[in-house]
Amino acid sequence: MTAPRRPVIAVVGGGIAGLSAAWELVTSSDIATGAGPPIVHVLEAGNRVGGKLDSAEFAGRTVDLAADAFLARRPEATELCEQIGVRDELVPVGTTGASILARGRLRPMPAALNLGVPTRWWPLARSGLLSPGESLRVTKDLVMPHLGAAPVSGDRSVADIIGERLGRPVVERLVDPLIGGINAGGVDELSAAATFPALIAASHQTGSLMRSLGRLPRPAGSAPVFWSLRQGTASLVDRLVDKLVNPRSAWDVSIHTGVSVDAITQASGNPSGGNPSGGNPSGGNPSGDNPSGGGTWRLTLGGINAAGITGNGEGALAVDGIVLALPAQPASVLLAVHSPMAAGLLSAIDYSSVGVVTLAVQPDAINRRLDGTGFLVPRTSPIGGRPALMTGCTYLSRKWPHLASAGTELIRVSVGRYGDERHTQLDDDELTAAAFGELAQVLDIHGGFSDSRVTRWSGAFPQYRVGHLIRVAKIEEAVAALPGMAVAGSAYRGVGIPACVGSGRSAARTVLASLGESSR
Ligand SMILES: Cc1cc2nc3c(=O)[nH]c(=O)nc-3n(C[C@H](O)[C@H](O)[C@H](O)COP(=O)(O)OP(=O)(O)OC[C@H]3O[C@@H](n4cnc5c(N)ncnc54)[C@H](O)[C@@H]3O)c2cc1C
């Protein structure tokens, strides 16, 4: 009897979801397939792995160009950091609190918020975010339970629920910048079930929405809310890659950049599932001497480095399993022939594009005190009499003490959100000038900046519309019918780094389980 051959699995997409999937494939594989760790190819179209995690040297320090922190109370990212040995590199956020630009000036965010939604009236009233009349309107929530008609079941937009109970100004000045800001979207469309499930539950309770949200259990202890990495989030990616391709491990993982997967076909003669249990020891050979042999799936590869994998110029790779760790649009294209249903559902997930302008400014040129981690700019708050381009600002060297230096203040201005793509019409110099101009008005800066860097993230944030979770369940169900295939990434069940890590690992387990089934 021949020993079971090691399955070959492709991870398509080298963002944090894809890399986490690769990690799970090699660290948990024995359990599922019984054939030892699979041979894993991570295929990344771009010229570097990490996707939306990227860091760079700026003004003598390592700064993040997109995500700069992850939620500490979700376990997935912290656990991964422990497993790959970067736990000691984690740094807690150095200050708390933030402000909102509202009614003409920066106002500290009120205390007692639950994900941006007030849970007590008095701190909100005192914050000045609302006019006296608007504040009074909020008290209706305390005295008139269920302002709307009968309780509505199922998903609703975040704005719908909060607007009905606390009024539109709370939505526009607090909830949209905070919850909408996390997704660079707008709460008028964002699904409460997908972005803030506790809000749905609270809205079904009788009595005040604020009190219901205030009763929700809060994380105990003094653990930090956010972690960052001393050397930037790219150091998490770098360490993960080092571990995955470590020649001293028994794993066979190769990571290829500049290789896009342009099409997936089902290998002929093998229609009903991978058969990694024997017969073709060279199937899905990673070194390319028999790239078309054995696997269930055949990947058509493109990109400048494709030939380096297949070795024979054919541009195809045979694999037994696939984790598709891609944004919704490329995933939709690759799934179109195999599951029109999944492809159709994926193609309707919209994305917003954002930009980040990182600036180095002389501290003594800034005439306002920099309190907390920064400030948010609601869509309805103009700057200089015009609709603001900036959506928020992070005082990087306050938020992260390891970025502090006596001579320079590092400040990051964020631009763009769903429905506002004006930043894409500006070149880097124009965008920097516009962002700095607005910042100078808000913080009363006299003088210029000594260094700047623009980073653009097109198709950055998937928009979880009302009904998103049902859409995702249908996509997952449709993809589960394809042998050895699973999807992962920010398009599905959370855009944050922990959610993406969890999604990659879960997709990897799904693929292993499917291959384990087919080899039995
Ligand atoms: C500006 C910004 C700030 C953020 N801030 C935070 C934050 O502070 N905290 C937080 O937790 N999260 C934050 N996020 C969100 C988080 O960074 C992302 O949601 C997450 O990194 C997405 O990971 P992913 O692996 O799902 O997707 P991606 O990182 O998009 O990776 C997908 C990869 O697939 C590749 N690809 C696409 N098509 C193909 C193909 N056909 N073949 C091969 N490869 C392909 C792409 O090149 C890409 O590298 C931020 C995001 C942005 C843009």
Side-chain angles (χ1 to χ4, degrees):
M1 193 178 141
T2 44
R5 104 176 141 79
R6 289 164 74 183
V8 181
I9 300 178
V11 174
V12 187
I16 190 62
L19 294 172
S20 303
W23 178 253
E24 185 70 22
L25 286 171
V26 288
T27 54
S28 78
S29 55
D30 288 8
I31 310 152
T33 65
I39 294 161
V40 177
H41 294 288
V42 177
L43 307 169
E44 164 56 49
N47 59 7
R48 57 166 190 87
V49 285
K52 291 174 187 112
L53 302 193
D54 196 11
S55 319
E57 287 304 299
F58 178 81
R61 280 153 279 177
T62 305
V63 298
D64 281 308
L65 303 176
D68 68 340
F70 60 80
L71 257 186
R73 55 167 194 275
R74 279 193 68 144
E76 300 93 330
T78 317
E79 267 169 27
L80 181 67
C81 288
E82 269 161 22
Q83 290 168 359
I84 64 173
V86 294
R87 179 70 179 73
D88 292 347
E89 293 289 305
L90 295 182
V91 281
V93 64
T95 182
T96 53
S99 304
I100 296 198
L101 183 69
R103 301 178 65 227
R105 63 183 176 84
L106 288 182
R107 298 170 186 276
M109 237 179 252
L113 298 179
N114 187 330
L115 204 74
V117 185
T119 63
R120 285 195 287 131
W121 178 77
W122 178 235
L124 174 67
R126 227 176 31 175
S127 70
L129 286 173
L130 306 179
S131 69
E134 290 163 345
S135 287
L136 208 59
R137 157 70 179 82
V138 177
T139 60
K140 279 189 178 177
D141 174 66
L142 300 169
V143 293
M144 290 177 59
H146 287 310
L147 293 178
V152 183
S153 59
D155 197 6
R156 298 173 71 192
S157 80
V158 171
D160 227 19
I161 297 174
I162 295 166
E164 174 185 286
R165 303 285 285 269
L166 306 181
R168 190 69 195 169
V170 173
V171 170
E172 289 174 354
R173 276 169 240 161
L174 204 48
V175 177
D176 191 55
L178 273 154
I179 304 182
I182 294 169
N183 300 272
V187 290
D188 284 330
E189 276 110 27
L190 281 184
S191 149
T195 60
F196 192 3
L199 183 62
I200 296 268
S203 76
H204 288 162
Q205 290 177 23
T206 54
S208 151
L209 180 71
M210 286 196 289
R211 286 196 184 118
S212 297
L213 287 171
R215 280 195 295 269
L216 291 174
R218 298 189 161 255
S222 56
V225 181
F226 291 108
W227 289 121
S228 189
L229 283 116
R230 204 178 301 280
Q231 292 303 318
T233 51
S235 66
L236 165 65
V237 173
D238 293 346
R239 184 67 70 89
L240 189 46
V241 168
D242 284 351
K243 289 273 174 186
L244 284 168
V245 299
N246 182 353
R248 289 192 302 278
S249 76
W251 305 328
D252 191 344
V253 179
S254 53
I255 296 184
H256 307 274
T257 54
V259 177
S260 64
V261 174
D262 295 344
I264 299 176
T265 44
Q266 209 148 6
S268 54
N270 197 357
S272 62
N275 177 21
S277 56
N280 182 0
S282 65
N285 188 327
S287 58
D289 47 323
N290 184 11
S292 61
T296 303
W297 301 103
R298 204 179 153 85
L299 309 182
T300 306
L301 306 181
I304 50 171
N305 296 327
I309 303 185
T310 57
N312 59 4
E314 265 190 28
L317 179 72
V319 297
D320 303 296
I322 302 174
V323 175
L324 274 186
L326 298 174
Q329 301 313 321
S332 161
V333 170
L334 293 180
L335 285 169
V337 222
H338 309 291
S339 175
M341 157 87 113
L345 291 165
L346 278 161
S347 70
I349 299 177
D350 253 351
Y351 278 68
S352 58
S353 294
V354 300
V356 170
V357 183
T358 311
L359 297 158
V361 184
Q362 293 286 318
D364 52 13
I366 306 171
N367 293 306
R368 266 198 72 99
R369 246 188 50 193
L370 304 185
D371 290 323
T373 58
F375 62 88
L376 296 172
V377 183
R379 288 171 201 262
T380 48
S381 292
I383 298 179
R386 285 204 297 270
L389 193 66
M390 68 194 290
T391 57
C393 160
T394 308
Y395 311 143
L396 284 178
S397 32
R398 308 283 165 134
K399 186 175 178 188
W400 307 116
H402 62 280
L403 295 180
S405 112
T408 343
E409 200 69 60
L410 295 189
I411 297 182
R412 161 166 148 164
V413 176
S414 300
V415 296
R417 53 187 143 203
Y418 194 74
D420 179 5
E421 304 232 324
R422 284 173 295 155
H423 60 103
T424 61
Q425 308 301 315
L426 304 177
D427 68 25
D428 284 2
D429 289 344
E430 290 167 338
L431 182 55
T432 306
F436 182 72
E438 291 189 356
L439 184 75
Q441 291 199 46
V442 178
L443 296 183
D444 192 14
I445 301 175
H446 292 264
F449 49 87
S450 54
D451 207 349
S452 69
R453 177 171 184 141
V454 172
T455 317
R456 296 174 189 268
W457 297 100
S458 143
F461 287 93
Q463 299 301 300
Y464 293 176
R465 295 264 158 71
V466 173
H468 180 78
L469 293 181
I470 296 172
R471 174 184 299 275
V472 168
K474 286 184 182 161
I475 295 169
E476 287 169 346
E477 192 186 333
V479 174
L482 305 173
M485 176 114 59
V487 289
S490 61
Y492 304 96
R493 296 181 184 276
V495 297
I497 296 171
C500 292
V501 170
S503 139
R505 296 186 80 156
S506 156
R509 289 193 297 275
T510 302
V511 168
L512 290 170
S514 169
L515 296 182
E517 285 291 308
S518 67
S519 67
R520 258 178 221 127

